[in-house]
Amino acid sequence: MSDAPVFPQGFLWGAATAAHQIEGSPLADGAGPSIWTRFAHTPGMMLNGDTGDVACDHYNRWKDDVKLMRELGLQAYRFSVSWSRILPEGTGRVNQKGLDFYSRLVDELLANGIEPLLTLYHWDLPAALDDRGGWLNRDIADWFAEYGSVLFRALDGRVKKWVTLNEPWVVTDGGYLHGALAPGHRSRFEAPIASHNLMRAHGAAVKAYREIGKHEIGLVVNIEPKYPATDSAEDQAAVRRAHAYMNEQYLHPALLGHYPPELKEIFGEAWPEWPAEDYALIKQPLDFVGINYYTRSVTKAATSYPLNTGVVKQPLGTYTETGWEVFPQGLTDLLLWFKQTYGDLPVYITENGAAFFDPPTADVDAAGNRRVRDPLRMDYLRKHLSAIHDAIQAGVDIRGYMLWSFLDNLEWSLGYSKRFGMVHVNYGTQERTPKDSARWYSEVIRTHGRKL
Ligand code: LGS
């Protein structure tokens, strides 16, 4: 018998994107502005002054993009809906034209045999809701459930896999604690409130889904294993804090119904006591958890705000263009930790990928094919898929893999400077060119991972 990897039957091979990163035309057809439209137009917030006004022009090119997905053999496509296209004021009036855009997209995916995975919130909060306090307002749990319900009613059945939030950790850490992401706040007092309201909103949306929907709903978190730099007591304690902050802050309340105690230690007086009923709202039975994995960190005690931890650069490590260490074993470790801590919940890898120094434009090879050669990305993907396979062998119930990303796109405040796509986008002409990694991934899908 060959020891070539065999992925479970039904394992879903796909790729992921998010609305604000690819769509462009943020105000088309009656959409309201989102906090990202506003943030990107605030001088100094975006690298090179980039904005999502055009992005990959997917709002106009969605049909061709789906065709390309089919040509590459994708079985699933994870995308997000822009809340303010559906509800321009965030609540109340539904904008039918916005809904139609996603309805057409879903139909086109299904007609091409591609399963949609729909994320309700991938960071583009309606600006109108930010004006009412955004994630700091407790009412947002109801606002989010209202928004979710509009989509559940319109699309459930055609969409069978739903995600409430993408990476609540990044929303609070980037948006409310350190300010590098919209809405750009920096407050130790706000971060816990935003975090908690994100989880209440998640719970409220799942509850609404159980009344309207008949399929699967889950939460997507970004998590990464934390390894101690040394075995000193200080470094071990630093790992405990970093691990609680990033890996347990959202999964613990969602799946176990409480927060890890380290959060109180980290936030001190800024960490409030929450009403008991909040915990019941947050802990809703989930059908799956989505894990986004990019890197690990080797952690030490250090003076930093507010965690008092630092990351130790590995002299022999390999790093991506964004400066993140390539560490596939970390994904296996993480998946085993997940199973041990939270039990046998189905898992999807909802993002994994890397930005590398791709050539800025495609070239033409001897056979006349347009090519973008990205051997480092191919190597990254191959090693991470093997790491996932190892976790499957060890008994973790992993149901699918969504490569980040289908297209090169707007990497948030880093603008267009970092390319994560399996498909190259020429931002001048909007021409798409599958990179070598896309051709390779196509073959992996065709052979169901036997040819990794
Ligand atoms: O484009 C985003 C990708 C790219 O890298 C996507 O929208 C997000 O959902 C997701 O956060 N993404 C992402 N995350 C990598 C985070 C790694 C942080 C490592 C920090 C080490 C110092």
Side-chain angles (χ1 to χ4, degrees):
M1 244 199 67
S2 119
D3 59 359
V6 179
F7 286 81
Q9 232 193 349
F11 186 89
L12 210 50
W13 302 92
T17 63
H20 186 73
Q21 295 180 273
I22 65 163
E23 288 175 354
S25 310
L27 302 177
D29 295 330
S34 79
I35 54 173
W36 269 96
T37 324
R38 200 183 252 179
F39 189 76
H41 285 276
T42 307
M45 295 322 236
M46 303 284 287
L47 191 65
N48 305 322
D50 289 343
T51 73
D53 290 359
V54 177
C56 308
D57 195 28
H58 172 76
Y59 194 75
N60 296 308
R61 293 169 196 265
W62 55 277
K63 213 169 183 166
D64 289 341
D65 286 338
V66 174
K67 184 160 169 260
L68 181 54
M69 289 174 209
R70 198 201 36 206
E71 283 164 12
L72 292 170
L74 297 189
Q75 300 169 345
Y77 174 54
R78 173 175 177 243
F79 64 97
S80 78
V81 170
S82 163
W83 186 340
S84 55
R85 287 197 196 281
I86 308 298
L87 295 150
E89 290 87 30
T91 60
R93 183 177 62 90
V94 173
N95 177 33
Q96 188 59 40
K97 283 188 172 167
L99 202 49
D100 290 346
F101 170 72
Y102 295 106
S103 179
R104 282 193 301 267
L105 173 65
V106 166
D107 284 345
E108 191 70 12
L109 289 166
L110 294 174
N112 283 279
I114 300 168
E115 159 128 49
L117 271 73
L118 188 157
T119 303
L120 293 175
Y121 188 71
H122 201 127
W123 309 357
D124 44 357
L125 187 74
L129 295 183
D130 194 46
D131 293 340
R132 295 161 74 184
W135 291 108
L136 301 173
N137 187 330
R138 274 181 74 84
D139 292 346
I140 199 162
D142 295 333
W143 302 339
F144 188 60
E146 178 189 335
Y147 157 59
S149 299
V150 172
L151 289 171
F152 301 152
R153 277 191 206 99
L155 299 177
D156 192 56
R158 286 187 282 158
V159 173
K160 296 186 174 146
K161 291 185 173 48
W162 296 85
V163 169
T164 54
L165 307 173
N166 178 69
E167 302 188 346
W169 183 87
V170 176
V171 177
T172 35
D173 187 81
Y176 290 87
L177 186 64
H178 294 299
L181 303 175
H185 299 196
R186 291 161 204 256
S187 163
R188 189 161 61 96
F189 285 87
E190 287 185 3
I193 297 169
S195 246
H196 187 67
N197 284 335
L198 278 154
M199 293 320 288
R200 290 178 53 253
H202 156 80
V206 174
K207 243 176 111 175
Y209 184 72
R210 297 303 177 205
E211 277 166 29
I212 303 167
K214 295 192 177 54
H215 300 278
E216 297 176 11
I217 191 160
L219 170 71
V220 165
V221 288
N222 58 299
I223 49 182
E224 59 180 52
K226 309 284 181 185
Y227 304 94
T230 71
D231 55 14
S232 74
E234 290 76 16
D235 286 353
Q236 307 271 5
V239 163
R240 208 168 34 69
R241 288 193 300 279
H243 176 65
Y245 178 60
M246 194 174 204
N247 302 330
E248 298 176 341
Q249 182 169 192
Y250 304 92
L251 288 176
H252 264 35
L255 301 175
L256 306 178
H258 62 85
Y259 287 105
E262 289 83 2
L263 293 179
K264 179 106 202 129
E265 183 189 333
I266 294 164
F267 285 102
E269 56 171 347
W271 185 263
E273 292 293 322
W274 308 108
E277 67 265 24
D278 288 3
Y279 291 99
L281 174 63
I282 293 170
K283 189 184 168 215
Q284 298 292 325
L286 299 183
D287 301 304
F288 64 88
V289 163
I291 292 180
N292 294 352
Y293 178 78
Y294 289 88
T295 190
R296 67 152 168 185
S297 48
V298 176
T299 303
K300 64 171 182 189
T303 309
S304 76
Y305 165 82
L307 277 183
N308 289 320
T309 63
V311 174
V312 179
K313 185 132 183 164
Q314 301 303 296
L316 300 179
T318 310
Y319 286 81
T320 69
E321 193 183 350
T322 42
W324 305 332
E325 190 192 358
V326 178
F327 197 72
Q329 173 68 40
L331 180 50
T332 315
D333 293 352
L334 192 69
L335 289 163
L336 292 174
W337 164 79
F338 180 88
K339 177 181 161 78
Q340 206 175 34
T341 312
Y342 303 110
D344 282 321
L345 201 57
V347 169
Y348 288 86
I349 304 304
T350 34
E351 283 182 33
N352 173 242
F356 280 111
F357 302 86
D358 296 343
T361 52
D363 63 67
V364 179
D365 69 12
N369 299 313
R370 282 206 330 270
R371 298 273 298 272
V372 174
R373 294 157 216 260
D374 60 342
L376 297 177
R377 179 172 296 100
M378 226 146 75
D379 188 55
Y380 179 101
L381 297 172
R382 178 189 294 115
K383 288 177 173 151
H384 285 80
L385 284 170
S386 300
I388 291 166
H389 187 261
D390 289 348
I392 293 172
Q393 299 282 72
V396 187
D397 183 3
I398 306 168
R399 304 280 177 97
Y401 177 82
M402 304 297 129
L403 190 159
W404 185 270
S405 175
F406 173 56
L407 299 173
D408 286 339
N409 61 49
L410 179 84
E411 182 47 32
W412 304 109
S413 38
L414 296 176
Y416 298 99
S417 68
K418 300 288 179 279
R419 294 176 175 271
F420 279 84
M422 59 189 264
V423 172
H424 177 272
V425 175
N426 177 324
Y427 293 114
T429 61
Q430 291 296 344
E431 190 171 26
R432 276 67 164 143
T433 307
K435 301 178 189 175
D436 283 3
S437 60
R439 298 173 195 277
W440 171 83
Y441 185 48
S442 247
E443 195 54 19
V444 169
I445 298 175
R446 206 181 56 75
T447 57
H448 203 58
R450 270 183 293 274
K451 277 198 180 172
L452 263 190

